[in-house]
């Protein structure tokens, strides 16, 4: 197995692809900012893990798969849901704990699902999404439907034992599963440097014969290029594959995290030089795919969508009392 | 010197076995380690090896003889004779043909007919096979379920009928394969996960509770988890604390799970079929010691036994005994003893622990006005605590005496035979408990 170098090559996306990626990333960014704001106003409670900074990962990979493919992730999941095409009104209502939320207000930030969008959650236990995603891939193989599963988890989860139990079975049974390790450098407050013996997480599959590569997860073009390759391999029955996405979250682990384990300068540097949205915007303009004016218009439209989602959520009723005992069994 | 070769105990719960094949005849010379005979227990077929060197001078049981108790002499060898030494045993036996016979003897799954006698083990297998024939989304996953034919022989023959894509051997990674099976159920498959024993389910408890039981609720009813976890639960024989415990109360504590703990052969079959068809996660608790129990299957084709319904195993007037799984055997034995003293016990077989059939419990209390609850699990926060609470809440005025519980002692299961016996509910204790409140 050869370790592939970090891919920095531009993949020359078309205008349409670039604009789509830009809009989707921007939607996630603005949505998460709004969620953060609403949390500060007490409209959202509990745990709320924001995806700001990591948008290129999920948007890029979603552009590599088909409708029949499934997505599953952990609790930093708002971005995944929006990328899967779930309705911002439904996601925001769930954050607000209202009846129009995807889980009727009973799941909250960490637990939303959409069968229609092939999004399987939203799982709150670190590492648990990995066997579950492997199981989705198992079902694809069982049904012989040629679908693949994108199983997301973080650098923290990458140290959980169940991840390796899953790797073993995924390779043993040649399951169509792509493991995406979103390495945002910190498992809550503990950096990869302090938590992981093998810091190159893309090589965590070596013992099982699973190939992997590190990808610049701040660059949407790198993500799409690596993602397409991985999906193609996995769909053509080559078994599981690991993509370690090197990314960064701008906010704390959750809303209540003061993030004292890293410096302001570190965050600023990433924001200033590696921001996936800003960088893509500059590329779009330099390639003359769009103008500052058009971009501004897109920004206004997206801000509208997000504002409306918050208004929608605020007006959605609380779940009625009889919901308390519903959905325990069917 | 002549020495006897005795029928060995080949598993902790084995009391007798069948001698399916002699590998030696009178006059053969044996070295230590040579196979002598093939013994079939309720779990598996295994070879008995010689632990002495000498010549076979007598075979004491016939090939094919069944139910030979452990420690029964099966052959005599003479350790002094040297005359046949050199004629190697292995020359007379074709190892490959012996293996071949074993494979041919693997029974092809054919469901037992209605009304016929069958074992709990076969009833479970029949339920699995029947549901798998009906629904291609049903598959079996677990350790040693396929090629080994089941650690307790429950899945015997299923690999032959359904093939390796539906009878799936896993590595020994309970947390991982439990999560995988739950993930598969999210996309519509109906896995039946075998835990070799429920002791090992503790490795997978997070997925059972957090992924299987809660997802329907957390998703506002969108995503259900049609899965069955089955395997032996409760005390086995002499396997000590980590392999001998009743976890019924653990699972019954979790909203979103259904918990079944059957006793009769018929209930094992009918309730497992119901569990497989149920769209919710179901914990199906078997008991190793019950696997060989024989009984009648009265279910008609395609009939199931509904989850959540207790059964009056025996009617009586003087006291209600409530229990589940193997301790119902204890209740029946005690009821048989007490009937000689003109005390009639009504025995309630809970069958399903969650959801609990409160009506049947309350109805029986209203009839007998006295009750002892028996379980193998530990007393604190146990199944019996729950039942007593239900009786307090819904039948207090009908009681003529405090309800008493007889449970496993609050100790890790000891290995020593005498201590193990003391740790579990006994007939004497049950009789005493009953007489105290009569």
């Amino acid at each position: 197995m050869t370790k592939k170098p970090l891919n920095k090559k531009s993949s020359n996306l078309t205008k349409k692809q670039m604009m789509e990626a830009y809009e989707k990333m921007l939607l996630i960014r603005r949505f998460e900012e709004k969620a953060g704001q609403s949390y500060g106003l007490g409209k959202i409670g509990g745990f709320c893990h924001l995806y700001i900074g990591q948008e290129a990962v999920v948007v890029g990979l979603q552009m590599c798969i088909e409708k029949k493919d499934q997505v599953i992730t952990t609790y930093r999941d708002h971005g995944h849901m929006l990328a899967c095409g779930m309705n911002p009104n439904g996601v925001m209502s769930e954050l607000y704990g209202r009846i129009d939320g995807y889980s009727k207000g009973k799941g909250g930030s960490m637990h939303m699902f959409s069968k229609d969008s092939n999004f399987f959650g939203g799982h709150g236990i670190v590492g648990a999404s990995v066997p579950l995603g492997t199981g989705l891939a198992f079902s694809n193989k069982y049904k012989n439907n040629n679908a693949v599963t994108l199983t997301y988890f973080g650098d923290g989860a990458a140290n959980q034992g169940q991840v390796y139990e899953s790797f073993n079975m995924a390779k043993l049974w040649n399951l169509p599963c792509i493991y995406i390790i979103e390495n945002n450098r910190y498992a809550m407050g503990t950096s990869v440097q302090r938590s992981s013996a093998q810091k190159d997480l893309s090589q965590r599959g070596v013992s099982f014969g699973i190939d992997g590569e590190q990808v610049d997860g701040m660059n949407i073009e790198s993500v799409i290029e690596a993602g397409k390759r991985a999906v193609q391999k996995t769909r053509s029955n080559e078994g599981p594959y690991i993509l370690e996405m090197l990314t960064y979250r701008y906010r704390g682990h959750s809303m209540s995290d003061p993030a004292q384990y890293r410096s302001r300068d570190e965050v600023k540097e990433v924001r200033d030089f590696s921001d996936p949205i800003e960088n893509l915007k500059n590329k779009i303009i330099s390639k003359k795919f769009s103008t500052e004016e058009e971009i501004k218009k897109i920004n206004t439209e997206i801000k509208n969508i997000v504002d409306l989602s918050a208004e929608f959520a605020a007006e959605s009723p609380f779940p009625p009392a009889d919901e308390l005992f519903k959905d325990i069994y069917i | 010197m002549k020495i006897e070769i005795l029928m060995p105990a080949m598993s902790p719960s084995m009391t007798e076995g069948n001698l399916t094949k002699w590998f030696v005849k009178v006059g053969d010379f044996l070295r230590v380690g040579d196979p002598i005979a093939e013994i079939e227990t309720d779990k598996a077929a295994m070879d008995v090896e010689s632990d002495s060197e000498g010549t076979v001078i007598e075979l004491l049981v016939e090939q094919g003889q069944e139910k030979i108790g452990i420690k029964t002499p099966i052959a005599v060898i003479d350790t002094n004779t040297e005359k046949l030494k050199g004629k190697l045993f292995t020359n007379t036996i074709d190892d490959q043909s012996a293996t071949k016979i074993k494979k041919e003897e693997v029974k092809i799954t054919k469901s037992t007919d209605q009304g016929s006698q069958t074992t709990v083990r076969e009833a479970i297998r029949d339920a699995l096979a029947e549901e798998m024939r009906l629904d291609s989304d049903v598959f079996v996953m677990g350790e040693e379920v396929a090629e080994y034919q089941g650690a307790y022989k429950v899945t015997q023959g299923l690999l032959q009928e359904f093939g390796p894509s539906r009878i799936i051997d896993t590595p020994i990674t309970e947390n991982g394969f439990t999560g995988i099976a739950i993930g598969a159920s999210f996309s519509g498959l109906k896995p039946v996960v075998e835990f070799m024993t429920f002791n090992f389910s503790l490795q997978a408890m997070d997925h059972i509770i957090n992924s299987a039981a809660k997802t329907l609720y957390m998703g506002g009813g969108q995503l259900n988890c049609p899965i069955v976890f089955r395997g032996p639960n409760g005390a086995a024989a002499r396997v000590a604390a980590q392999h001998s415990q009743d976890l019924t109360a653990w699972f019954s504590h979790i909203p979103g799970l259904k918990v079944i703990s059957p006793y009769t052969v018929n209930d094992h079959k009918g309730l497992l079929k119901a569990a497989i068809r149920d769209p919710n996660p179901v914990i199906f608790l078997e008991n190793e010691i019950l696997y060989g129990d024989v009984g009648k299957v009265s279910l008609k084709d395609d009939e199931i036994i509904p989850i959540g319904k207790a059964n009056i195993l025996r009617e009586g007037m003087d006291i209600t005994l409530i229990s589940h799984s193997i301790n119902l055997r204890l209740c029946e034995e005690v009821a048989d003893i007490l009937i000689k003293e003109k005390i009639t016990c009504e025995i309630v077989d809970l069958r399903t622990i969650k959801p609990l059939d409160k009506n049947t419990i309350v109805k029986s209390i209203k009839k007998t006005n006295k009750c002892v609850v028996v379980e193998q699990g530990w007393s604190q926060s146990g199944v019996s605590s729950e039942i007593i609470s239900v009786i307090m809440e819904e039948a207090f005025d009908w009681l003529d005496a405090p309800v008493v519980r007889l449970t496993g002692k609050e100790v890790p299961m000891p290995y020593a035979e005498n201590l193990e016996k003391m740790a579990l509910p006994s007939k004497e204790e049950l009789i005493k408990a009953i007489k105290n409140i009569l």
Side-chain angles (χ1 to χ4, degrees), chain A residues 70 72 94 102-104 106-108 111-116 120 122-123 125 127-129 131-136 138-140 142-143 162 165-166 168-170 172-173 175 323-330, chain B residues 136-139 141 165-166 168-171 173-177 179-184 186-189 206-207 210-211 213 215-224 254-258 278-280 354:
Chain A
Q70 307 111 323
I72 186 167
E94 189 60 36
Y102 271 94
S103 301
K104 300 195 267 183
K106 298 196 281 193
H111 309 296
M112 281 178 249
F113 309 84
S114 170
K115 265 188 169 171
D116 293 340
F120 286 83
H123 297 272
I125 306 297
S129 65
L132 296 173
T134 310
L136 293 168
F138 174 93
S139 71
N140 293 334
Y142 190 95
K143 295 173 183 168
Q162 58 184 313
E165 298 185 16
S166 303
N168 183 43
M169 284 177 272
L172 190 67
W173 299 333
L175 302 181
E323 276 299 328
L324 180 63
F325 292 106
K326 278 188 187 165
D327 305 321
I328 297 166
Y329 300 99
I330 48 169
Chain B
S136 63
D137 286 338
V138 179
F139 69 93
M141 179 182 255
S165 61
R166 295 182 69 195
I168 300 159
D169 278 329
T170 65
T173 47
E174 285 84 4
N175 196 16
F177 71 69
I180 287 176
I182 293 167
F186 285 164
S187 69
L189 298 183
D206 175 59
H207 274 298
N210 276 322
S211 304
T215 298
L216 183 73
Y217 193 83
M218 293 193 305
Q222 274 195 78
L223 203 58
N224 67 310
I254 308 300
L257 294 181
K258 293 187 178 182
D278 198 282
N280 300 288
K354 192 183 189 81

Side-chain angles (χ1 to χ4, degrees), chain A residues 18-34:
Chain A
M18 277 205 190
M19 295 311 292
E20 183 191 342
Y22 179 74
E23 286 178 27
K24 283 191 169 164
M25 290 199 290
L26 197 66
L27 173 65
I28 295 172
R29 176 74 53 98
R30 295 287 170 263
F31 185 92
E32 293 291 66
E33 287 166 353
K34 191 76 185 177

Side-chain angles (χ1 to χ4, degrees), chain B residues 58-123:
Chain B
E58 199 176 355
L59 299 181
L60 300 169
V61 300
E62 297 283 321
Q63 179 161 308
Q65 194 166 323
E66 295 189 347
K67 297 188 174 176
I68 305 160
I70 59 168
K71 298 183 208 162
T72 307
I74 56 171
V76 183
I77 65 172
D78 187 342
T79 55
N80 291 331
T81 27
E82 291 279 322
K83 61 181 180 184
L84 289 171
K85 195 166 185 175
K87 185 187 169 192
L88 290 180
F89 166 75
T90 43
N91 291 344
T92 63
I93 289 289
D94 179 354
D95 283 342
Q96 280 183 339
S97 70
T99 322
K100 216 172 170 182
I101 290 165
K102 271 189 208 166
K103 277 191 181 154
E104 280 165 5
E105 281 174 354
V106 168
K107 289 166 198 143
I108 299 302
T109 54
K110 187 181 172 300
S111 287
T112 36
D113 299 328
Q114 187 204 346
S116 64
Q117 294 284 316
T118 184
T119 62
V120 164
R121 173 182 283 111
E122 288 162 342

